[in-house]
Amino acid sequence: MPGIDSVPLRQAESGNQSLNMTTISGISMTEHLQYIDNAEKVFVFDQVYPLSAANEQANQKKLNAFGFWTKLNPFKRPRDETVLLSKHVLRYEPFWHVVTTRSVDYSRELIYPVDIGNAYAHKVVINGKEYSIAEQGNKRTISMQAVEYSHRKIKYEDHLDGLSRDPKKGALANYINKYKVQEHSVLELPEAVVPQLRLPMLLQKIRQTLAAETIHAHEFQEDLITIEKVHLYYRPVFAFEFAWTTEDKVGVIEVDGLTGEVIENGQWFKETLQAFTTREMLFELGSELASAVVPGGGTAVRVIEKMTSEGRVDPLSA
């Protein structure tokens, strides 16, 4: 197909199937994965909530930065004068928006029962082949072997937190629908957090989700997963670290840079991107994990990560 290259991910041996219908749940004997042009993109949200408002919010909630039960302890709990702001940062947290389609051409062998209305017929000949008539109660039928050829498309779309957390349902999609973003080919965000959910793991999750769809088949003619969108978004989040001076403890209050929502008992992420990071570098992050994610090795996924619309590489020739 013009503008699209496909890459075989796995080839397994297939044995002869019996006439009885076989249920195959998952990926077929020959699976291919392809990207459409410009499927990989990176976006950064424009900051909405100001630092001054976020700082005020964080100070109001600072005593909650050390856990819910700590503030209820009557003998040892943080007080306003013992909890001080030690540092703060405006960081950018990642999440993914993926849109894919699994397109499957397959066939299955089965027996078609055909009713015979003539009560006196004792056999039927079709195209020179003779069929005996079976009787069960008042029903008279013949059984014809047949092969059904089918085409099926399975859509998959999801928004996944890049730090492998479980956000509120619909929250990530709402960011995209409601707030302004800018597409970037180069990121210059020194406080952008490195995704923990990286591309090899994301591809594997997509494959597993699509594989969960049961397909009744004896043979697959084609099984193709098309990556239509794999978009990486970065959204602004303020993080304020407070020190509980009398207990030598620290806690973090987070404030969403888009909505102003406060998260108590937050986190401070140390692994951030390089000050100058290209889109290609972002999508290559984690290629060393591919062999651990894909059974039998990670060559195919590693090569897929390095593809750009300017040139594609066939892993079988690598």
Side-chain angles (χ1 to χ4, degrees), residues 17-315:
Q17 301 286 351
S18 64
L19 186 60
N20 293 328
M21 183 172 63
T22 302
T23 300
I24 299 178
S25 176
I27 301 300
S28 66
M29 312 320 176
T30 305
E31 175 201 300
H32 291 76
L33 182 146
Q34 68 181 11
Y35 282 69
I36 67 170
D37 282 342
N38 300 315
E40 298 173 343
K41 292 185 179 182
V42 180
F43 298 92
V44 178
F45 285 93
D46 294 345
Q47 179 189 338
V48 175
Y49 214 65
L51 171 61
S52 56
N55 185 60
E56 184 178 346
Q57 289 270 74
N59 272 302
Q60 291 176 359
K61 299 290 185 179
K62 68 179 184 178
L63 301 185
N64 301 344
F66 308 95
F68 176 77
W69 296 109
T70 302
K71 66 180 181 179
L72 298 180
N73 188 333
F75 305 105
K76 187 184 294 185
R77 61 185 176 186
R79 301 183 185 279
D80 190 69
E81 63 274 12
T82 63
V83 176
L84 305 176
L85 178 66
S86 57
K87 57 183 178 180
H88 75 274
V89 67
L90 172 60
R91 68 184 183 219
Y92 285 81
E93 298 183 3
F95 71 88
W96 298 93
H97 177 209
V98 294
V99 178
T100 66
T101 300
R102 182 183 176 193
S103 180
V104 189
D105 288 292
Y106 60 96
S107 59
R108 64 173 181 172
E109 303 169 15
L110 69 169
I111 303 296
Y112 271 16
V114 179
D115 291 340
I116 304 300
N118 184 355
Y120 303 102
H122 59 89
K123 66 179 179 180
V124 175
V125 177
I126 301 176
N127 292 332
K129 184 174 180 180
E130 183 178 304
Y131 297 87
S132 58
I133 297 175
E135 296 190 31
Q136 186 172 5
N138 296 326
K139 195 170 185 178
R140 309 178 80 242
T141 61
I142 61 171
S143 297
M144 301 180 63
Q145 293 185 5
V147 179
E148 289 182 341
Y149 289 87
S150 302
H151 176 74
R152 182 176 175 188
K153 286 190 175 182
I154 305 168
K155 298 288 290 186
Y156 170 77
E157 180 175 3
D158 205 356
H159 300 80
L160 302 106
D161 183 67
L163 300 175
S164 299
R165 300 167 300 188
D166 189 17
K168 295 178 183 176
K169 185 176 178 61
L172 300 181
N174 186 58
Y175 287 131
I176 298 174
N177 295 331
K178 189 172 180 180
Y179 297 100
K180 187 179 295 186
V181 298
Q182 306 292 335
E183 183 178 355
H184 290 253
S185 58
V186 175
L187 282 183
E188 296 185 73
L189 298 173
E191 298 300 334
V193 183
V194 174
Q196 295 176 12
L197 176 60
R198 303 183 183 181
L199 188 58
M201 303 165 68
L202 184 64
L203 291 175
Q204 183 69 353
K205 179 177 177 61
I206 291 169
R207 295 172 71 243
Q208 289 174 343
T209 303
L210 291 170
E213 292 287 338
T214 299
I215 295 177
H216 303 288
H218 288 98
E219 183 180 349
F220 287 82
Q221 287 75 49
E222 183 176 67
D223 194 350
L224 182 65
I225 295 177
T226 300
I227 307 296
E228 300 168 24
K229 287 184 182 179
V230 55
H231 292 178
L232 180 59
Y233 286 86
Y234 273 95
R235 64 182 182 90
V237 177
F238 292 99
F240 298 86
E241 183 181 271
F242 291 93
W244 185 0
T245 56
T246 56
E247 294 297 322
D248 194 27
K249 292 182 178 180
V250 295
V252 176
I253 296 291
E254 299 174 4
V255 180
D256 193 309
L258 297 177
T259 67
E261 180 182 359
V262 176
I263 299 175
E264 302 174 359
N265 197 21
Q267 293 179 269
W268 192 275
F269 295 101
K270 296 180 179 179
E271 191 177 6
T272 57
L273 297 177
Q274 300 176 24
F276 181 88
T277 306
T278 67
R279 179 182 58 219
E280 288 72 22
M281 291 165 65
L282 278 167
F283 281 93
E284 287 177 9
L285 276 172
S287 61
E288 71 280 359
L289 300 178
S291 59
V293 174
V294 179
T299 304
V301 173
R302 189 176 295 112
V303 172
I304 288 171
E305 284 191 304
K306 295 181 179 178
M307 292 179 182
T308 66
S309 59
E310 288 78 18
R312 304 279 174 165
V313 182
D314 188 339

